[in-house]
Amino acid sequence: MLGSLRSFIKMVPTLKLNNNVDFPVLGLGSSQAKNGEMEKAVKEAIDIGYRHFDTAFIYGNEHEIGAAVRAKIEEGVVKREDIFITNKLWITFLRPDLVIPACRRSLQAMGLEYMDMYLVHFPISLKDGDDLWPRDENGKFIPSESDYVETWKQMEECVRLGLTKSIGISNFNTEQIERLLANATIKPVVNQVECHPYFNQSKLKAFCKQRDIVITAYAPFGRPGSKAPTMKQGVLSLLEDPVLLEMATKYNKTIAQIILRYLVQHGVVPIPKSSNPNRMKENIDIFDFQLESEDVAVLAALRSWNRLNILMDVKNYPFNIEF
Ligand SMILES: NC(=O)c1ccc[n+]([C@@H]2O[C@H](COP(=O)([O-])OP(=O)(O)OC[C@H]3O[C@@H](n4cnc5c(N)ncnc54)[C@H](OP(=O)(O)O)[C@@H]3O)[C@@H](O)[C@H]2O)c1
């Protein structure tokens, strides 16, 4: 049984990003939460020991994450520099002149002077502006001509202006990363992508590692209950997998803990979403054991599924090549 919040405080180790910034190796995700859910969750998470929080303009909860962090700073529980906040530029703001205003708008929503990491949420670009899912009369997404290479120059400007300490990318494939690196002054520090034992990303991981780019793993549990259109029919939830269950019994841990440990042991930074204090405690309690290499090999060979992501027929859609 896990203890009360006060007696249960876990600290998360950090790794060094390619710009020498410390990055906690586990964070708290926040997408698809109900209104008001994440403010409470982030306060509880800080008490438990979480220091790394993931949000995005599109999640509509930046203000909650910011309010929770500010409250805990005011309470004297943490200082701003103890906290690592990732936010993301939405795909309707990739046009260069929109990037800095979007970053400032997110900072204003959070009530913070800077973010720790700002990511380009997707390499694709839709019609610029505040309609976040612009579609034409036939329901087709309306593209924009904005190109992520030009966007990136303004992301770099966000660093120079002190609006964010680090910049990175999300959902970029290897060709897009190569093209970005060829044109960048500041290298992305992370690529945030779907990553879990059913979708290991081993090739993308190796590619990014060679370029000193850390993989942040979203949907580390495969987003249980997801009805994503690309998922294979009849696939078990990762959290019910019999192989993982056997391993969990062996280590006296839960399946969720085995998955997170597996990712962390590979230098991948998972950001499981939870707003349930017991599950938040469970997910952070992974730093007192090590998976043996034979078990790592079993996890690496687990069956795979298709991506969770929605399919889009637009320029720069990243998932038309393998990785
Ligand atoms: N960059 C991108 O394009 C992108 C895309 C998707 C997600 N993300 C980020 O990655 C984060 C994580 O991904 P996700 O939220 O899609 O999926 P996920 O973390 O795989 O799954 C979240 C779900 O798992 C449940 N859960 C959490 N811990 C659990 C445990 N120990 N046992 C059983 N169930 C547990 C949560 O419910 P409770 O809250 O009730 O515990 C929640 O319903 C997101 O929240 C977001 O911040 C980024």
Side-chain angles (χ1 to χ4, degrees):
M1 208 31 202
L2 299 167
S4 73
L5 285 190
R6 278 185 204 294
S7 60
F8 186 96
I9 297 180
K10 297 277 171 193
M11 294 321 286
V12 174
T14 56
L15 56 74
K16 286 270 181 221
L17 295 169
N18 66 31
N19 59 358
N20 220 28
V21 167
D22 292 317
F23 188 41
V25 301
L26 176 88
L28 187 74
S30 71
S31 68
Q32 300 189 348
K34 295 190 200 79
N35 271 349
E37 184 182 331
M38 287 320 291
E39 181 169 347
K40 188 165 175 282
V42 169
K43 286 181 187 163
E44 284 166 339
I46 289 175
D47 288 338
I48 289 168
Y50 286 82
R51 296 293 179 262
H52 168 184
F53 301 97
D54 184 82
T55 184
F57 179 81
I58 191 71
Y59 303 164
N61 62 16
E62 304 163 294
H63 60 293
E64 292 185 34
I65 312 282
V69 166
R70 284 186 279 110
K72 285 292 163 186
I73 292 172
E74 271 161 40
E75 268 180 49
V77 178
V78 284
K79 300 194 190 76
R80 174 65 187 91
E81 57 269 32
D82 301 329
I83 298 289
F84 195 105
I85 298 188
T86 300
N87 206 326
K88 310 186 192 90
L89 176 75
W90 186 238
I91 56 179
T92 57
F93 304 114
L94 259 61
R95 204 177 70 203
D97 62 301
L98 299 179
V99 176
I100 291 171
C103 183
R104 288 194 194 280
R105 183 172 167 185
S106 285
L107 282 171
Q108 196 175 11
M110 293 191 291
L112 299 175
E113 282 174 14
Y114 67 92
M115 45 184 94
D116 295 279
M117 183 142 77
Y118 199 38
L119 306 182
V120 179
H121 204 144
F122 244 93
I124 62 169
S125 178
L126 295 185
K127 183 175 170 249
D128 317 294
D130 276 342
D131 179 357
L132 304 183
W133 293 105
R135 292 176 189 264
D136 65 18
E137 58 281 6
N138 301 315
K140 229 173 141 338
F141 286 115
I142 308 172
S144 140
E145 282 312 304
S146 305
D147 184 324
Y148 57 82
V149 165
E150 295 309 312
T151 308
W152 190 254
K153 293 184 180 139
Q154 294 305 306
M155 295 291 282
E156 292 174 336
E157 204 49 37
C158 289
V159 176
R160 291 187 196 105
L161 291 169
L163 306 177
T164 182
K165 305 271 182 206
S166 302
I167 46 176
I169 51 184
S170 179
N171 298 302
F172 274 53
N173 68 31
T174 52
E175 289 173 5
Q176 292 165 335
I177 296 170
E178 284 290 38
R179 186 168 163 253
L180 190 68
L181 288 175
N183 291 283
T185 308
I186 302 177
K187 269 174 80 162
V189 290
V190 308
N191 186 18
Q192 184 179 125
V193 292
E194 177 181 352
C195 184
H196 48 71
Y198 282 177
F199 197 76
N200 252 310
Q201 297 275 23
S202 50
K203 292 177 183 169
L204 182 65
K205 259 190 274 185
F207 176 92
C208 286
K209 193 170 180 200
Q210 276 177 352
R211 287 152 185 83
D212 212 0
I213 297 170
V214 171
I215 294 282
T216 302
Y218 73 64
F221 305 141
R223 197 182 300 150
S226 171
K227 298 202 172 41
T230 54
M231 277 180 66
K232 285 180 190 160
Q233 293 298 311
V235 175
L236 272 179
S237 156
L238 248 184
L239 295 176
E240 296 168 291
D241 186 286
V243 175
L244 282 162
L245 182 60
E246 203 176 308
M247 226 177 267
T249 310
K250 171 178 165 182
Y251 288 94
N252 197 22
K253 288 283 177 183
T254 64
I255 290 181
Q257 289 170 326
I258 297 289
I259 293 170
L260 296 175
R261 179 71 219 178
Y262 168 70
L263 294 168
V264 164
Q265 227 168 282
H266 283 79
V268 170
V269 174
I271 46 167
K273 180 264 166 187
S274 184
S275 53
N276 174 301
N278 282 325
R279 287 195 280 278
M280 285 195 271
K281 287 185 212 169
E282 179 186 332
N283 295 346
I284 204 176
D285 191 11
I286 57 159
F287 298 104
D288 60 351
F289 77 112
Q290 185 89 11
L291 291 171
E292 293 161 18
S293 55
E294 67 206 47
D295 293 322
V296 167
V298 169
L299 288 173
L302 274 187
R303 70 214 150 91
S304 63
W305 66 18
N306 295 335
R307 297 169 188 278
L308 288 167
N309 270 109
I310 50 169
L311 294 165
M312 290 172 113
D313 182 19
V314 285
K315 191 176 112 186
N316 290 333
Y317 180 73
F319 305 136
N320 292 327
I321 60 170
E322 186 196 346
F323 69 100

